[in-house]
Amino acid sequence: LGETLTNTRVSLTATADMTAQWQASATLSYQKAEYSTFRKDDYWEGGLSATYIYNSHLSASAGYIFRNNNSTLIGADFSDDIVNVTLSFRS
């Protein structure tokens, strides 16, 4: 449609090795999207996660993410929570 989009994103992430087997991280980001159709979105996302490293091949992590979008477009606003659990294996 030939529509213009200006997108700006700022993100901050901190990761810490608590022990040789535990890692923790936190992230916060902000994104502003401006569309040529007079729509503007302000999107925030924050999250926390913890990872347990069993060995060099196996790890497990759990995390929580909160997202919020405010928009000038009716019906495009939302807030949600995401909980995730991941088991990773690499050979």
Side-chain angles (χ1 to χ4, degrees), residues 3-59:
E3 199 172 304
T4 301
L5 168 66
T6 302
N7 195 23
T8 304
R9 183 177 177 100
V10 177
S11 185
L12 178 63
T13 301
T15 303
D17 292 332
M18 309 304 280
T19 67
Q21 291 181 298
W22 283 100
Q23 293 178 336
S25 69
T27 185
L28 179 64
S29 66
Y30 170 75
Q31 180 175 338
K32 183 175 190 84
E34 296 182 27
Y35 302 83
S36 63
T37 57
F38 304 107
R39 175 184 171 183
K40 294 180 182 179
D41 287 5
D42 290 309
Y43 176 79
W44 288 92
E45 183 172 296
L48 300 170
S49 68
T51 301
Y52 179 76
I53 302 167
Y54 183 73
N55 58 35
S56 62
H57 302 286
L58 185 63
S59 65

